[in-house]
Amino acid sequence: MVRRTKEEAQETRNQILSAAELCFYRKGLSRTSLAEIASAAGVTRGAIYWHFADKSELVGALLERINIPLQPLSEASRSPSEPDPLGRLRDLLVTVFRRAATDPEVRRVSEILFHKCEYTEDLGNLRQWMQDFRREYNHNIELSLGNAVAKGQLPEKLDLVVASRCVHAFITGVLDQWLLVPVGLDLDAKAETLADGILDMLRLSPALQKT
């Protein structure tokens, strides 16, 4: 009975998330109410509050849900026992671009975060949540790059802080551009090219090395 109750609670949570994703995508965060999400999910507002404190928690959960498949590659690129961390980072980059291009859920959530998200008072601590997420993202890239430096795959003097921010900016810049103007770039077909461009920058740019 307890197991069934937990399964039902998880199913309800997923229903709410899927409804929120579609509502946010259609109307944007600030123009979507929790009542609209509840109606779309076929639940009460109380059910939403049982799982999520506010809209910012819904957004965070959506982002976490699409990032789950990326975790093994991200962890492998940071692991000291991984013999090819740069290869795993490349795989991660290719996967990020290809999923945005081919997975409708990933594309919708990305569109919400890049183009339908306002850091207004009614969204509570969403700005803080996103700042924390990006700091963690930067830190994980730093660890991956440091691991690749330790394995002799990147220059010994690579400035990990600057390089990690450049990688992060490259990823978000490509996604932002493509989501707004997808015509002219086959993101799926060019995913490996884009990933290799990032790695070439890390390997070859003197500006990214400490003097």
Side-chain angles (χ1 to χ4, degrees), residues 40-173:
V43 301
T44 64
R45 284 186 63 180
I48 293 182
Y49 284 120
W50 176 263
H51 293 278
F52 306 99
D54 51 32
K55 285 194 282 186
S56 64
E57 280 199 9
L58 278 165
V59 175
L62 286 172
L63 184 55
E64 288 173 355
R65 187 164 75 166
I66 67 169
N67 276 330
I68 288 174
L70 302 175
Q71 289 175 0
L73 284 172
S74 178
E75 291 169 3
S77 71
R78 305 193 305 269
S79 173
S81 62
E82 169 58 51
D84 184 16
L86 198 62
R88 300 294 75 73
L89 179 60
R90 182 185 186 275
D91 292 340
L92 178 61
L93 295 169
V94 171
T95 303
V96 167
F97 293 135
R98 283 192 169 149
R99 290 183 74 232
T102 62
D103 187 321
E105 179 185 0
V106 174
R107 182 168 181 172
R108 283 192 295 267
V109 174
S110 299
E111 182 76 40
I112 291 165
L113 292 171
F114 280 103
H115 300 144
K116 301 189 178 186
C117 176
E118 299 173 348
Y119 298 132
T120 54
E121 287 186 10
D122 66 312
L123 291 178
N125 63 347
L126 180 60
R127 182 183 179 87
Q128 183 63 55
W129 194 95
M130 287 300 298
Q131 287 175 328
D132 292 341
F133 174 81
R134 292 205 176 197
R135 286 192 193 99
E136 182 181 5
Y137 203 103
N138 287 335
H139 180 62
N140 286 344
I141 296 173
E142 264 186 66
L143 292 177
S144 298
L145 299 183
N147 197 18
V149 169
K151 299 294 195 307
Q153 295 180 307
L154 289 175
E156 185 178 354
K157 292 185 178 181
L158 185 69
D159 188 325
L160 297 179
V161 173
V162 175
S164 65
R165 296 333 186 254
C166 287
V167 171
H168 195 167
F170 194 119
I171 297 167
T172 56

Side-chain angles (χ1 to χ4, degrees), residues 55 59 101 181 200 210:
K55 285 194 282 186
V59 175
V181 189
D200 286 346
K210 295 178 181 178

Side-chain angles (χ1 to χ4, degrees), residues 189-209:
K190 293 296 184 180
E192 292 191 13
T193 300
L194 291 165
D196 288 336
I198 295 175
L199 299 192
D200 286 346
M201 173 184 69
L202 295 170
R203 292 191 191 100
L204 304 174
S205 174
L208 294 183
Q209 298 186 38

